Amino acid sequence: MTTTLTRPVSTVAFPRLALVHYRYGFLETVRVPMAVLGTMLFPALALLFFVVPQRAVAGDPLAAAAATAQLAVFAVMSTSVFTYGIGVAEDRAQPFDPYLRTLPAGPWPRMVGRVLNGTTWSLLGLVPPILVAVLLTEASIPFDRFLLSVLLVMLAGIPFLLIGLTIGYLMSSKAATAVAQVVVFPLAFAGGLFLPPETFPGWLDTLSTFLPSRAARDLVVSAATGADLPATALPVLLGWTVAFALLTAYAYRRDEGRRFH
Amino acid sequence: MTTHDLPISVEHVTRRFGETVALDDVSLAVRPGEMVGLLGPNGAGKTTLLSLVEGLRQPDAGTVRVFGSDPRTAAARVRLGSTPQETGLPPSLRVAEVVDFVGRHYPDPVPTADLLDTFGLTDLARRQTGGMSGGQKRRLAVALAVVGRPDLVVLDEPTTGLDVDARHVLWDALRSFHASGATVVVTSHYLEEIQALAERVVVVDHGHVLADAPLEEILGRVAMRRVTLELGAGHAARLAGLGGVVQHQVEPSGRHVLMTPDADLVVRSLVGAEIPFRDLEVRTATLEEAFLALTRKEAA
């Protein structure tokens, strides 16, 4: 009988594969800039139109920093829900997606590449509002607080990443686009990302306390300005993270079962 | 030979989708260096069989092995190359980028420039795949199947919808890839494609392997003519017993349809038996018609 081909068979190392998926995922996103441009510019525009003209806020270093922190949370939240929610749903609809499953890589390099890509865009989304704050307001905080705030805004983005993934794995791309919008804006308003929660009526303030957007806002504003961190913030963030980690796992398995059983 | 050496080993595999049985107790072994054509009409179970080999799906019963390993594990697929189903390529990526992206999943990929050259895609290297013609996309899709220097390549309908020239470019590329020692499995519902590529043909329909034989033998069995005619009442019963007739059916219009490997023989018998037929037509049977005739004959 024919001799067997005995080439050494080894797969490509995981970190390299993850970087390959990151690189091409990023390229795909950057080639269709409209998909991210709106999301990226909205927080800076909000700052420009609603905060900069109010001298009472823009002229006060801490108040301006707090307003910027709120919009930074919005930037990360909307980027996460949109890029993961719509991105995953669109990818699932592409015939290229099952093809990638036939390549010698498990599902994780793609997932890690996806998260790195989303993180990159979230970080990029922080640049415009911070630039507006630095150039056009009196916002001023020590550099170590600034770094801590950026770190925390990214960490506080995790539940939104998971909300995005849940939407992406559960829904068609059309439904995901609609649902992502419906989720992001009410969460932002009720979470005090556009108007500070101090202006809320009592019932809304109470409701707001249980939202991940409010908890993320409180955490980042506290880091940026030194304001007291409400005791509810961390447990609320953690609760949403655990809940949506479970939901993401459920949605992912359900999708796998449907398409790749 | 152990299953470890076999590029593909499928044993007693059954796969259902709801009520539909896509594969019914199918067994198939593909040996190293073979060039196998999976032939069957649409919906016969070819694509399901390939999706099991590619690790995309699991059998409900039975085992599927690729070089002795479960293709659902990533490591088993490092010796396997396949094409994107349909022409679904990421539209915003450039041709060279897609090749590079897929190639980087393998330990020793063909350099992108060389691969593009082999498939006549060098001039398109910087084109976004969304701006390619259908034929160009097909060429790229097949190129992706071989970028990782796989020992086994499975191709689902590789040249469907291509013009003659493009088809020949791809066939040549696949033949030279096979000549370099690789095992190739191609599905098609075009006899012509199977004829151009396969040395061994496996005919699949309704989830069963109907035939598994060298190309020549299969060609003889599916090369059928379809003879149709009109007939006065009372003579119909004489048609079925006619020399060379494999299958006899009556269309709703009342025309009689005879399937035969030898139309000349049928016409001579018709005349010889003095059957009063009118409006005789003879044409080459489509593969699907030939299959139906074969299936019924074997079921009978």
Side-chain angles (χ1 to χ4, degrees):
Chain A
M1 204 66 233
T2 331
T3 46
T4 330
L5 302 159
T6 45
R7 238 180 330 103
V9 174
S10 65
T11 46
V12 177
F14 180 87
R16 278 185 59 186
L17 279 179
L19 283 179
V20 167
H21 280 263
Y22 170 42
R23 180 171 154 199
Y24 286 100
F26 184 82
L27 262 183
E28 274 192 80
T29 319
V30 91
R31 294 270 164 78
V32 195
M34 282 320 292
V36 282
L37 218 56
T39 320
M40 276 184 66
L41 291 180
F42 184 85
L45 291 176
L47 202 55
L48 198 59
F49 291 131
F50 301 115
V51 176
V52 172
Q54 294 186 59
R55 291 320 296 171
V57 180
D60 179 306
L62 282 186
T68 310
Q70 287 176 183
L71 284 163
V73 170
F74 177 75
V76 170
M77 175 177 94
S78 58
T79 309
S80 296
V81 176
F82 286 125
T83 49
Y84 296 110
I86 301 170
V88 168
E90 278 179 351
D91 282 351
R92 281 173 46 235
Q94 299 295 328
F96 200 61
D97 194 57
Y99 169 69
L100 289 179
R101 308 243 333 180
T102 71
L103 299 180
W108 286 103
R110 188 142 202 246
M111 184 61 98
V112 171
R114 191 186 287 290
V115 169
L116 288 176
N117 190 22
T119 305
T120 304
W121 288 102
S122 290
L123 280 171
L124 288 174
L126 291 177
V127 174
I130 291 172
L131 274 183
V132 170
V134 169
L135 297 176
L136 301 176
T137 75
E138 297 300 320
S140 167
I141 55 172
F143 192 63
D144 54 344
R145 279 194 172 281
F146 171 75
L147 285 186
L148 179 68
S149 306
V150 170
L151 179 70
L152 286 180
V153 80
M154 296 308 294
L155 288 177
I158 292 173
F160 303 110
L161 181 163
L162 295 168
I163 289 173
L165 289 178
T166 301
I167 293 172
Y169 282 111
L170 275 185
M171 292 169 200
S172 71
S173 69
K174 266 187 184 168
T177 308
V179 169
Q181 310 262 16
V182 167
V183 165
V184 163
F185 286 93
L187 265 187
F189 272 108
L193 304 186
F194 295 150
L195 297 168
E198 291 83 58
T199 61
F200 286 175
W203 65 269
L204 184 56
D205 192 38
T206 310
L207 173 80
S208 173
T209 312
F210 296 100
L211 296 178
S213 44
R214 172 68 182 273
R217 178 225 171 252
D218 287 347
L219 185 68
V220 179
V221 167
S222 160
T225 66
D228 287 342
L229 177 65
T232 47
L234 285 176
V236 166
L237 269 183
L238 204 64
W240 282 82
T241 303
V242 170
F244 272 89
L246 294 173
L247 274 173
T248 300
Y250 161 76
Y252 182 81
R253 293 224 181 101
R254 176 172 170 270
D255 177 53
E256 288 277 295
R258 287 193 173 179
R259 295 193 299 150
F260 304 111
H261 166 64
Chain B
M1 172 174 286
T2 66
T3 50
H4 199 74
D5 305 317
L6 288 175
I8 298 177
S9 161
V10 171
E11 284 174 358
H12 300 292
V13 162
T14 297
R15 173 67 215 216
R16 291 181 200 85
F17 292 98
E19 296 290 290
T20 320
V21 181
L23 293 173
D24 188 1
D25 194 26
V26 168
S27 295
L28 178 70
V30 174
R31 290 171 288 273
E34 279 193 313
M35 203 158 183
V36 178
L38 275 180
L39 184 64
N42 286 326
K46 307 183 301 276
T47 304
T48 304
L49 187 54
L50 281 201
S51 72
L52 296 176
V53 170
E54 291 167 336
L56 284 177
R57 292 187 178 278
Q58 272 175 301
D60 293 323
T63 55
V64 178
R65 291 288 177 268
V66 169
F67 294 107
S69 308
D70 182 349
R72 300 206 21 115
T73 60
R77 298 194 299 263
V78 86
R79 294 170 74 180
L80 170 79
S82 67
T83 48
Q85 222 185 50
E86 306 169 36
T87 47
L89 297 159
S92 62
L93 291 186
R94 301 182 200 283
V95 172
E97 288 167 352
V98 176
V99 172
D100 186 61
F101 175 45
V102 174
R104 281 171 187 270
H105 285 78
Y106 296 90
D108 177 30
V110 180
T112 300
D114 296 359
L115 191 75
L116 293 180
D117 189 48
T118 309
F119 284 86
L121 292 166
T122 306
D123 294 343
L124 298 171
R126 292 194 49 78
R127 173 90 54 95
Q128 291 185 334
T129 67
M132 299 169 91
S133 73
Q136 292 164 342
K137 284 183 186 171
R138 272 277 146 209
R139 258 187 285 161
L140 174 56
V142 174
L144 293 180
V146 301
V147 66
R149 303 184 201 273
D151 297 322
L152 167 66
V153 166
V154 293
L155 302 153
D156 198 5
E157 311 269 349
T159 67
T160 301
L162 287 193
D163 62 43
V164 179
D165 287 346
R167 186 168 285 186
H168 283 274
V169 169
L170 272 188
W171 288 348
D172 286 344
L174 286 174
R175 275 191 288 254
S176 68
F177 183 70
H178 172 245
S180 74
T183 308
V184 177
V185 175
V186 176
T187 75
S188 190
H189 58 279
Y190 291 125
L191 188 57
E192 194 195 354
E193 179 151 81
I194 294 293
Q195 214 170 336
L197 291 176
E199 290 163 354
R200 170 183 165 199
V201 180
V202 177
V203 182
V204 184
D205 197 13
H206 293 105
H208 293 275
V209 172
L210 295 186
D212 180 351
L215 175 68
E216 276 63 38
E217 200 185 315
I218 296 292
L219 284 181
R221 289 169 68 179
V222 296
M224 292 228 218
R225 297 288 185 277
R226 186 174 185 274
V227 179
T228 62
L229 47 84
E230 280 177 34
L231 202 60
H235 299 282
R238 298 166 65 192
L239 288 178
L242 225 51
V245 172
V246 171
Q247 190 198 13
H248 169 222
Q249 274 186 299
V250 185
E251 283 186 341
S253 65
R255 281 183 75 83
H256 294 264
V257 181
L258 304 171
M259 298 294 290
T260 172
D262 187 346
D264 302 330
L265 175 64
V266 169
V267 173
R268 265 189 242 111
S269 322
L270 278 170
V271 174
E274 292 185 0
I275 295 173
F277 63 87
R278 285 189 310 276
D279 197 14
L280 181 93
E281 264 179 41
V282 179
R283 69 164 169 80
T284 309
T286 65
L287 197 53
E288 192 128 9
E289 289 163 344
F291 276 128
L292 282 175
L294 269 184
T295 335
R296 286 187 195 167
K297 187 183 157 200
E298 280 168 23

